[in-house]
RNA sequence: GGCCCGUUCGUCUAGUGGUUAGGACGCAAGGUUUUCAUCCUUGAAACAGGAGUUCGAUUCUCCUACGGGCUGCCA
């Protein structure tokens, strides 16, 4: 690689919440920077003032922080190359556009948006769906190349609105090497005279992006595939300024799980998985769900995104952010779009849940309960988590599947009741209750031994009796080791639940009869 | 329509001019388990199609098909 220190940027437009594709682009930039000991920069591309969305900037920053991929410098993070928001850099761009005009590489254009619309409309009527402002059509338009010098001068003096367009030459092959895709070549005949500077005094993305990347000493541009078509223009601009272009890498898109097309914001809630890192409420009050609020761990989220387009080349799949940083190479990023797989995403979360200690899970569960105003448990959360973690994908599963640790048992699973609870079961359970009352140690082992002695004496099978005991303690027909549950509940609670349960079930059974 | 990019099991993907084309998710079967989950074992499942280069192509080239992106004074 070059001797220059690696500096990469993530440059979203704050026009709404960041979607997973954007977060993945940020992640790859972050990983690339860390891998090379470089800087990861956040720059906000807000040159379109009409698309300003309140809260979007904060959302982007919060999302990156949550995912653990905070920029080293940039909007909200400080740094020597600021400001990092293009609207605050407004005054910097015009001189560069002027320079291009002075060099004859750009020109003023006075056509109004309405005139351009009309032009495109007319062309479409005539069967040309793709009218472009280019080396052929510009001579028919109102610009400093077609108008006399005097008229141009006069219009400028008068304050006529104008834009500055790049003067794209005819029949020139522009080539550049994309780190992911190899050589890409485009002939300028297929490129148009893009607007570089708008009539509102702001640059377009194309100009701002080049100028800022230059000023911020960006070495590698890693961005989505949707930018590939305009990359030749950017390469041309670097050349026009006489600047060395950064290296480019265009990432494949993330596609929707069903049907064709790229993942869009509505797919998530339609298909039952989030497409945003955090919850987002739009101006109509519509809520889009986020990974965080859906119960995904940030490290799982990062792992999921990393593998959407990248792999280490071997069969490992679980990587921490640090491990990803050391392993990540742009060359191992695939070229083709990846469909998002919600099932695999859940699997990842399950893996990360299981990697966590009971203590960590207990803390997370406590937070979850607090945030959602749920019932607290009279029991120690740590053993509960230890017991439940093998069957949980999300923290909420521990709470929901283990609801009997958080409140009274007031319902009894009907299927188990009808299948396992026989006529003599109540008597049997009462008998067992009496034994239970006399157990001195209420450890899982002791309870298990006593229970097994009991059914051996009764000449009964475990499968016929245990489900009923479970029903009394938990109200459900399945779950983790019942003896461990009994230990957590404790002797008094078990006795209470059994007495109450036998009574309630007797009532239920008599109603049936 | 034009331009650009892409195409290996259902999905994410590994892979090489000669492989039984590997793994993971999901799915199915069996085992373990009081049950559910976990776990273990096994199974089904792919090189888009057609030419060419070659002794030999999934791998290299071209064409076709399909998919995607772009085609704004949006980014």
């Amino acid at each position: 690689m070059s001797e220059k220190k690696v500096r990469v940027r993530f440059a979203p437009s704050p026009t709404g919440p960041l979607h997973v594709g954007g977060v993945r682009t940020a992640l790859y930039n972050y990983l690339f920077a860390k891998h090379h000991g470089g800087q990861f920069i956040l720059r906000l591309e807000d040159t379109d003032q009409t698309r300003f969305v309140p809260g979007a900037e904060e959302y982007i920053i919060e999302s990156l922080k949550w995912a653990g991929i905070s920029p080293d410098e940039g909007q909200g993070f400080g740094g020597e190359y600021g400001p990092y928001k293009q609207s605050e850099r407004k005054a910097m761009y015009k001189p560069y556009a002027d320079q291009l005009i002075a060099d004859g590489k750009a020109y003023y254009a006075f056509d109004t948006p309405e005139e351009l619309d009309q032009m495109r409309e007319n062309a479409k009527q005539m069967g040309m769906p793709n009218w472009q402002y280019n080396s052929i059509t510009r001579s028919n338009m109102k610009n400093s190349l077609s108008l006399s010098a005097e008229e141009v001068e006069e219009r400028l003096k008068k304050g006529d609105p104008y834009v500055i367009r790049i003067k794209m030459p005819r029949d020139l092959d522009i080539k550049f090497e994309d780190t992911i895709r190899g050589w890409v070549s485009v002939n300028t005949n297929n490129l148009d005279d893009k607007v570089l500077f708008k009539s509102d005094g702001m640059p377009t993305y194309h100009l701002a992006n080049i100028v800022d990347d230059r000023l911020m000493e960006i070495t590698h541009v890693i961005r989505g595939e949707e930018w590939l078509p305009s990359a030749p223009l950017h390469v041309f601009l670097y050349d026009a300024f006489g600047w060395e272009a950064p290296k480019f890498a265009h990432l494949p898109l993330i596609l929707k799980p069903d049907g064709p097309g790229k993942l869009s914001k509505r797919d998530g809630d339609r298909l039952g998985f989030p497409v945003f890192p955090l919850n987002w409420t739009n101006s109509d009050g519509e809520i889009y769900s986020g990974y965080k609020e859906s119960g995904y761990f940030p490290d799982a989220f990062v792992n999921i995104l990393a593998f959407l387009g990248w792999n280490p080349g071997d069969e490992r799949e679980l990587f921490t952010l640090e491990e990803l940083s050391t392993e990540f190479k742009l060359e191992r990023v695939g070229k083709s779009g990846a469909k998002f797989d919600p099932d695999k995403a859940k699997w990842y979360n399950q893996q990360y849940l299981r990697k966590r200690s009971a203590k960590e899970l207990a803390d997370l569960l406590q937070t979850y309960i607090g945030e959602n105003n749920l019932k607290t448990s009279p029991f120690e959360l740590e053993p509960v988590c230890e017991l439940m973690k093998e069957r949980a994908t999300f923290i909420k599963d521990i709470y929901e599947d283990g609801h009997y640790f958080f409140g009274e048992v007031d319902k009894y699973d009907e299927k188990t009741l009808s299948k396992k609870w026989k006529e003599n079961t109540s008597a049997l359970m009462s008998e067992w209750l009496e034994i239970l009352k006399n157990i001195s140690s209420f450890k899982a082992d002791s309870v298990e031994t006593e229970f097994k002695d009991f059914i051996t004496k009764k000449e009964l099978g475990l499968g016929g009796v245990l489900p009923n005991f479970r029903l009394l303690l938990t109200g459900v027909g399945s779950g983790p080791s019942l003896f461990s549950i009994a230990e957590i509940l404790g002797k008094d609670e078990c006795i209470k639940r059994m007495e109450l349960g036998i009574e309630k079930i007797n009532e239920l059974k008599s109603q049936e009869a």
Side-chain angles (χ1 to χ4, degrees), chain A residues 62-296:
Chain A
E62 286 312 307
S63 296
L64 297 180
K65 282 183 180 169
W66 177 70
I69 52 175
S70 289
D72 300 299
E73 87 186 48
Q75 184 66 20
F77 297 91
E80 303 291 305
Y81 293 77
Y84 292 96
K85 203 171 170 178
Q86 290 179 331
S87 58
E88 292 172 10
R89 302 170 67 81
K90 186 172 177 179
M92 305 170 68
Y93 304 106
K94 184 75 194 315
Y96 291 97
D98 289 341
Q99 184 193 326
L100 253 20
I101 290 192
D103 294 345
K105 288 168 176 167
Y107 59 90
Y108 298 107
F110 302 97
D111 320 271
T112 65
E114 293 71 30
E115 287 168 339
L116 292 171
D117 285 347
Q118 192 54 245
M119 210 63 197
R120 292 196 175 91
E121 189 50 39
N122 293 158
K124 199 182 271 178
Q125 300 285 315
M126 285 156 57
M128 294 173 57
N130 190 27
W131 182 86
Q132 292 197 313
Y133 207 120
N134 60 22
S135 59
I136 295 172
T137 59
R138 66 180 166 234
S139 57
N140 300 319
M141 306 300 289
K142 290 181 210 150
N143 53 58
S144 58
L145 299 175
S146 63
L147 267 26
S148 70
E150 294 73 34
E151 188 175 351
V152 172
E153 188 65 25
E154 201 189 309
R155 278 175 177 267
L156 290 176
K157 202 177 288 173
K158 214 168 55 180
D160 270 11
Y162 66 87
V163 300
I164 296 174
R165 286 180 181 273
I166 186 75
K167 186 180 169 191
M168 193 54 76
R170 196 140 180 87
D171 203 23
L172 177 74
D173 284 321
I174 298 176
K175 293 191 187 77
F176 68 96
E177 191 175 14
D178 185 286
T179 311
I180 294 171
R181 286 153 208 284
W183 285 95
V184 176
S185 173
V186 177
N187 188 283
T188 52
N189 291 355
N190 298 313
L191 265 25
D192 61 344
D193 290 357
K194 278 269 182 307
V195 172
L196 301 179
F197 199 83
K198 300 186 273 188
S199 58
D200 65 359
M202 285 291 262
T204 60
Y205 168 85
H206 302 294
L207 210 221
N209 148 280
I210 266 69
V211 170
D212 286 346
D213 283 349
R214 170 72 180 184
L215 263 25
M216 294 181 183
E217 298 180 35
I218 298 302
T219 55
H220 300 258
V221 171
I222 303 167
R223 69 218 319 185
E225 188 184 329
E226 67 268 29
W227 293 109
L228 200 49
S230 54
L233 166 67
H234 301 158
V235 170
F236 182 79
L237 280 170
Y238 278 105
D239 194 54
F241 283 119
W243 297 338
E244 188 194 344
K247 295 250 186 335
F248 291 99
H250 290 92
L251 271 20
L253 264 19
I254 296 177
L255 277 13
K256 60 181 74 188
D258 61 345
K262 70 173 170 179
L263 191 62
S264 74
K265 64 178 178 183
R266 295 196 184 274
D267 291 328
D269 293 310
R270 178 176 65 86
L271 296 164
F273 68 93
V275 299
F276 297 110
L278 313 175
N279 272 8
W280 171 263
T281 308
N282 72 8
S283 54
D284 299 332
E286 220 174 334
I287 297 170
Y288 295 96
S289 53
Y291 278 84
K292 181 187 175 193
E293 292 81 355
S294 300
Y296 285 85

Side-chain angles (χ1 to χ4, degrees), chain A residues 300-432:
Chain A
F301 177 64
V302 159
N303 204 148
I304 292 163
L305 291 187
F307 270 71
L308 240 35
W310 173 86
N311 74 82
D314 53 41
E315 280 159 11
R316 292 170 299 159
E317 293 201 279
L318 264 17
F319 285 83
T320 64
L321 196 56
E322 289 69 33
E323 289 165 343
L324 286 169
S325 299
T326 63
E327 299 275 345
F328 185 82
K329 285 191 177 60
L330 273 180
E331 289 76 10
R332 288 210 62 83
V333 173
K335 301 186 218 300
S336 50
K339 282 188 185 174
F340 186 86
D341 183 352
D343 284 329
K344 189 99 186 220
K346 283 185 186 155
W347 177 82
Y348 269 111
N349 208 251
Q350 185 188 30
Q351 299 303 309
Y352 277 85
L353 185 140
R354 296 174 60 172
K355 284 211 304 197
R356 287 186 156 87
S357 69
K359 176 78 179 71
E360 284 175 280
L361 293 175
D363 289 345
L364 290 167
L365 181 56
Q366 189 63 59
T367 306
Y368 172 76
I369 289 168
E371 280 174 355
N372 294 284
N373 279 319
L374 300 171
K375 278 182 272 187
T376 53
S377 174
F379 311 105
E380 288 288 327
L381 251 29
E382 206 173 310
V384 169
C385 290
E386 187 59 54
L387 202 57
M388 301 302 294
K389 69 187 283 192
E390 291 300 307
R391 60 202 65 231
T393 297
F394 300 106
I395 289 291
K396 72 165 171 37
D397 296 338
I398 298 179
Y399 185 86
E400 287 169 9
D401 295 345
H403 57 87
Y404 38 84
F405 290 118
F406 300 89
E408 310 272 300
V409 174
D410 51 2
K411 268 185 288 189
Y412 296 92
D413 181 62
E414 284 179 30
K415 206 172 145 195
T416 314
L417 209 51
S418 62
K419 248 174 104 176
K420 300 283 182 182
W421 198 280
K422 311 291 185 197
E423 253 172 70
N424 64 345
T425 303
S426 294
L428 191 71
M429 284 294 119
S430 297
E431 210 174 317
W432 163 236

